[in-house]
Amino acid sequence: DIVMTQTPLSSPVTLGQPASISCRSSQSLVHSDGNTYLSWLQQRPGQPPRLLIYKVSSRFSGVPDRFSGSGAGTDFTLKISRVEVEDVGVYFCMQSTQFPRTFGQGTKLEI
Amino acid sequence: QVQLQESGPGLVKSSETLSLTCAVSGASISSYYWSWIRQPPGKGLEWIGYIYYSGSTNYNPSLKSRVTISVDTSKTQFSLKLSSVTAADTAVYYCARDHGAGYVDYWGQGTLVTVSS
């Protein structure tokens, strides 16, 4: 299985300031079709996960543009340009390049 | 809008079979892949497997011997069966849509299943 490792596991942030989460995979996430299937999910307290970013850098419908994704190969980053109160929660990276799908441990974003 | 809703017993006895159903609305089940993902209390996410509307499946090898996912296109729902459960299977179980282009885009609210001894 591909192991996904996120850093940090906990991130105290200041409202209005940027935040960044890293995700590293144990193998390259470049699929044989040339795509890289790395996505980012947000889980607010008591809620199911919500898709934010797919294929490294594509924002899902309705996701604010303060969220952005970047990276390639085995190293990926989720950035929030200016943190808002509603951004509190746990963020997961997920790979869909290889079966089984696997997730990072989660990064808790707290104000 | 795509909506998914899990249903099933919230308490299952150890060694028995966990059975859940996911009702899909707002989307045709005859496309996409339909997934089950679980989350033990306070922990991370684990992909269980998915099914295509045609019936083809892909399961997590760690659970494969105990998992069956099926689909009922006439009822626009799909189901999960997990046999021989133990306390380690206690988790919130989510059904979700796998777009097939490498991401899971819609999730149900989740249902907590507790395995009791």
Side-chain angles (χ1 to χ4, degrees):
Chain A
D1 297 5
I2 295 179
V3 177
M4 306 297 288
T5 303
Q6 289 181 229
T7 54
L9 297 184
S10 178
S11 179
V13 294
T14 302
L15 293 178
Q17 293 301 304
S20 179
I21 299 169
S22 294
C23 176
R24 177 168 289 180
S25 58
S26 60
Q27 303 173 36
S28 173
L29 297 186
V30 180
H31 193 273
S32 55
D33 65 8
N35 289 305
T36 299
Y37 295 115
L38 185 283
S39 53
W40 289 96
L41 307 163
Q42 175 197 60
Q43 187 173 34
R44 292 170 173 153
Q47 295 294 312
R50 166 198 177 201
L51 178 66
L52 296 177
I53 302 286
Y54 63 96
K55 285 199 281 188
V56 180
S57 59
S58 296
R59 255 189 314 276
F60 188 58
S61 174
V63 174
D65 61 7
R66 64 178 182 276
F67 290 95
S68 64
S70 63
T74 61
D75 288 291
F76 305 92
T77 302
L78 174 71
K79 291 183 180 176
I80 309 173
S81 59
R82 295 173 306 279
V83 173
E84 299 189 5
V85 172
E86 64 192 40
D87 298 337
V88 166
V90 180
Y91 291 78
F92 296 94
C93 57
M94 172 188 175
Q95 69 80 21
S96 300
T97 293
Q98 192 179 107
F99 290 103
R101 314 301 203 206
T102 50
F103 299 85
Q105 323 95 297
T107 294
K108 188 172 186 178
L109 201 70
E110 44 199 358
I111 307 296
Chain B
Q1 184 176 351
V2 181
Q3 292 185 315
L4 299 96
Q5 181 64 59
E6 304 88 352
S7 61
L11 189 63
V12 180
K13 291 183 179 178
S14 183
S15 79
E16 296 190 345
T17 296
L18 176 161
S19 296
L20 296 173
T21 297
C22 181
V24 179
S25 59
S28 171
I29 203 164
S30 297
S31 299
Y32 307 107
Y33 298 78
W34 303 95
S35 303
W36 289 98
I37 295 164
R38 69 181 183 178
Q39 185 174 34
K43 296 189 177 180
L45 298 160
E46 180 180 30
W47 184 79
I48 298 171
Y50 71 29
I51 189 165
Y52 193 51
Y53 78 96
S54 62
S56 64
T57 56
N58 198 306
Y59 299 141
N60 192 322
S62 68
L63 298 168
K64 188 173 183 177
S65 63
R66 300 193 290 130
V67 170
T68 303
I69 298 176
S70 57
V71 64
D72 185 337
T73 55
S74 64
K75 293 183 179 179
T76 61
Q77 64 185 32
F78 61 106
S79 300
L80 169 71
K81 290 189 185 300
L82 181 66
S83 64
S84 304
V85 297
T86 69
D89 295 310
T90 293
V92 174
Y93 285 76
Y94 295 101
C95 60
R97 189 179 82 170
D98 188 313
H99 191 273
Y103 54 92
V104 178
D105 54 1
Y106 293 99
W107 297 66
Q109 285 298 308
T111 187
L112 174 62
V113 179
T114 302
V115 177
S116 67
S117 55

